[in-house]
Amino acid sequence: MKPCRIAIADYGVGNVKSIASALQQGGAEPVLTAEAKIITEAEGLILPGVGAFGNAMQQIGHLGLDDSIRERVERQRPLLGICLGMQLLLDQSDEFGQHRGLGIISGQVRRMDQHRDKPLKLPHIGWNRVEPAQASTPLLQDIDARQDMYFVHSFVAQPDEPDAVLASTQYQDHRFASVIGQGNSYGCQFHPEKSATAGLVLMQNFINLCKTT
Amino acid sequence: MKKRIVARLDIKNEHVIKGIHLEGLRKVGEPNAMALKYYRQGVDEILLIDAVAAYYDRNSLSHIISQAVQDIFVPITVGGGIRSIEDIRQALQAGADKVAINTRAIQQIDFLREAVQVFGSQSIIGSVQAKKTGPKQWQAYYDNGREASEFSVRRLVERYQQAGAGELLVTSIDCDGTRKGYDLALLDELQSVVEVPMIYCGGAGTNEDVAKVLAHDVVDAAAVGSMLHYRNSDVGALKQTLASHSIPVRL
């Protein structure tokens, strides 16, 4: 059987080695690429991301990947955005000025401590609980509410539609969307590729989703 | 939010070594095998320090990182000999998630500021090597604890935070490798100045030592080295002890 090919969009934002290793462990074939055709047609696509929102969108625009990604979404092919890659799915972000996102899931990206009186220790770095919001989503299968994932971020996604929030996480007195999804487009704020066994289960779920879609 | 256990591996010429007060280095094992062992025991993060980078003026851990990220799925931080933006890029490209910067950031705080602008604050850890110089006085050292800087620990923490460091790694030189417990007096000093997550390092000998230090709000993560290397404990047993003290940990 041909291995499931999953593209990792290469727009020059940091470390993708662990994502590739996690996909390999799950029996998939990772392809780090900026080629439009592969981005659109691979069985799965991962948008990685460490760094600044504006810079990442600029790279994506420069490489002409935004149209390939949107075309993929129109065709209902699975996509997973990780950390900044998740935030890119929304309409716009406030990080270092206003920047437009991919607009795949409607909503905003805001700094976690915006509009609050009490200070919040940021970045939010470390292991925190991911609590599924609704009964079942294939991405979170076999991940129970007591499992921790590794986060490192200061900004959070705020989808307009409550149904787009698939799981949430509590940080001090602040609750935010830690997994979002709409159709076959998903995003997680934590790094599954850095979240030990629980993270690998999520990666495996994504691979399974890519195989069956 | 969980408190983190960070396994610290000081590396010299392909070997994990461990000294006392960052000196007198003894070989204790092979880096990738030890990192993998601690990962399987449930450690939350791996910290790889090039212990002799200062002699060569560069960090030489890239190949160890590249191998580690093939089967270790927790964050990896690298430190020692990080002197340029290119050094950071290399470490991150090899697969590191964060770099800890000490000597060059002490000499030139703009280096840390630039690193934050290029790679984001989440990737940049300000490293502080603290040495007690008097009652309630700690001076920041550099070059792996060999040279005294002009800054007090407090002042250096402020400088790092102002420059945008996303996290701090504070090592007590006095306690390092002693396995006699962390410097808790220094924590009182840090409590009033630290605003970002902090990894505290130096002196862990028993599970109880770690429980004591993690009970402080200002400590987000405890680094352990000797205690694991010399098998005084393992990560699983350590976390069980922490959980029994009601310290939130990932099990």
Side-chain angles (χ1 to χ4, degrees):
Chain A
M1 207 177 84
K2 230 176 60 174
C4 175
R5 196 169 62 152
I6 297 185
I8 304 170
D10 183 8
Y11 40 94
V13 284
N15 175 12
V16 296
K17 291 263 168 66
S18 297
I19 295 175
S21 302
L23 290 172
Q24 269 164 348
Q25 288 228 340
E29 181 195 336
V31 189
L32 181 63
T33 184
E35 220 175 290
K37 192 172 149 65
I38 304 178
I39 297 278
T40 308
E41 294 183 356
E43 285 151 287
L45 173 67
I46 289 183
L47 299 181
V50 171
F53 191 102
N55 181 46
M57 278 310 295
Q58 199 184 352
Q59 288 302 317
I60 286 174
H62 181 71
L63 293 163
L65 298 184
D66 37 356
D67 290 340
S68 325
I69 297 168
R70 286 197 199 95
E71 190 181 334
R72 170 178 191 91
V73 171
E74 272 163 37
R75 296 197 209 167
Q76 290 290 315
R77 295 209 168 110
L79 174 163
L80 174 65
I82 295 176
C83 196
L84 174 65
M86 160 196 187
Q87 298 176 357
L88 298 176
L89 300 178
L90 289 110
D91 294 320
Q92 72 172 15
S93 168
D94 286 347
E95 189 182 5
F96 302 129
Q98 290 272 325
H99 299 281
R100 281 175 68 100
L102 291 166
I104 290 167
I105 295 178
S106 66
Q108 315 287 319
V109 178
R110 301 229 190 280
R111 209 176 133 90
M112 243 200 268
D113 56 0
Q114 211 177 46
H115 308 305
R116 46 176 294 135
D117 312 324
K118 272 200 281 179
L120 194 63
K121 204 192 259 187
L122 291 178
H124 170 226
I125 297 184
W127 298 79
N128 208 338
R129 193 168 286 182
V130 171
E131 297 168 52
Q134 52 204 43
S136 68
T137 162
L139 192 68
L140 296 176
Q141 204 185 335
D142 299 324
I143 294 174
D144 74 50
R146 278 169 308 180
Q147 272 161 336
D148 295 304
M149 302 283 189
Y150 183 76
F151 290 83
V152 48
H153 63 117
S154 297
F155 285 75
V156 288
Q158 299 178 337
D160 293 335
E161 297 293 328
D163 285 354
V165 179
L166 303 180
S168 63
T169 293
Q170 184 83 27
Y171 177 48
Q172 294 179 13
D173 60 351
H174 188 92
R175 184 167 281 277
F176 63 92
S178 45
V179 181
I180 60 173
Q182 191 175 292
N184 280 321
S185 301
Y186 296 92
C188 50
Q189 183 57 67
F190 50 86
H191 286 271
E193 79 283 14
K194 292 288 171 186
S195 296
T197 314
L200 294 178
V201 171
L202 186 146
M203 293 295 279
Q204 187 70 60
N205 289 343
F206 181 66
I207 295 169
N208 294 344
L209 203 80
C210 297
K211 279 183 185 162
T212 54
T213 313
Chain B
M1 189 73 175
K2 303 297 184 290
K3 299 271 182 165
R4 289 172 278 156
I5 298 299
V6 178
R8 174 173 174 150
L9 281 67
D10 293 85
I11 297 166
K12 176 187 180 183
N13 306 332
E14 315 289 314
H15 299 283
V16 176
I17 47 110
K18 192 62 217 176
I20 298 178
H21 312 311
L22 300 177
E23 284 181 335
L25 312 171
R26 173 176 159 192
K27 288 179 191 172
V28 290
E30 193 273 316
N32 287 103
M34 290 179 75
L36 186 59
K37 182 173 83 175
Y38 299 149
Y39 168 66
R40 288 185 174 148
Q41 288 177 1
V43 87
D44 298 311
E45 207 164 312
I46 307 271
L47 173 61
L48 302 172
I49 302 281
D50 187 337
V52 293
Y55 293 129
Y56 305 106
D57 216 29
R58 68 185 176 91
N59 185 290
S60 58
L61 302 182
S62 288
H63 63 291
I64 294 174
I65 304 166
S66 305
Q67 196 186 324
V69 293
Q70 287 173 21
D71 41 25
I72 293 176
F73 297 97
V74 292
I76 296 176
T77 296
V78 61
I82 303 289
R83 300 284 196 265
S84 66
I85 293 296
E86 194 44 44
D87 287 344
I88 301 174
R89 198 183 307 278
Q90 260 180 29
L92 298 182
Q93 266 171 7
D97 299 281
K98 309 185 261 196
V99 294
I101 308 177
N102 177 255
T103 304
R104 181 52 50 93
I106 287 176
Q107 293 165 339
Q108 209 182 320
I109 193 65
D110 281 344
F111 171 58
L112 194 143
R113 189 173 287 120
E114 188 189 352
V116 167
Q117 277 160 7
V118 176
F119 302 103
S121 64
Q122 79 290 329
S123 302
I124 305 299
I125 300 183
S127 167
V128 181
Q129 293 164 5
K131 196 175 174 101
K132 198 167 165 64
T133 50
K136 299 202 173 179
Q137 281 187 339
W138 287 268
Q139 199 67 14
Y141 274 59
Y142 63 100
D143 264 352
N144 224 32
R146 278 182 286 268
E147 304 284 340
S149 78
E150 60 186 288
F151 304 111
S152 68
V153 164
R154 185 183 191 83
R155 185 73 198 108
L156 186 61
V157 165
E158 285 169 354
R159 285 170 68 85
Y160 283 170
Q161 289 180 160
Q162 278 159 10
E167 207 171 357
L168 297 169
L169 168 68
V170 180
T171 305
S172 159
I173 300 171
D174 308 295
C175 297
D176 173 74
T178 61
R179 282 181 274 168
K180 288 179 179 166
Y182 291 90
D183 187 343
L184 298 176
L186 172 56
L187 278 187
D188 292 338
E189 172 80 358
L190 290 166
Q191 187 88 44
S192 59
V193 63
V194 170
E195 291 164 358
V196 297
M198 178 175 78
I199 305 171
Y200 201 51
C201 190
T206 65
N207 295 344
E208 300 295 327
D209 290 340
V210 182
K212 239 182 250 169
V213 82
L214 285 178
H216 288 73
D217 280 346
V218 70
V219 183
D220 294 88
V224 288
S226 304
M227 178 179 143
L228 297 179
H229 304 338
Y230 297 118
R231 297 186 185 79
N232 295 91
S233 185
D234 66 57
V235 180
L238 170 57
K239 287 192 165 182
Q240 289 300 337
T241 304
L242 297 174
S244 74
H245 282 79
S246 304
I247 290 169
V249 286
R250 177 180 69 96
L251 292 172

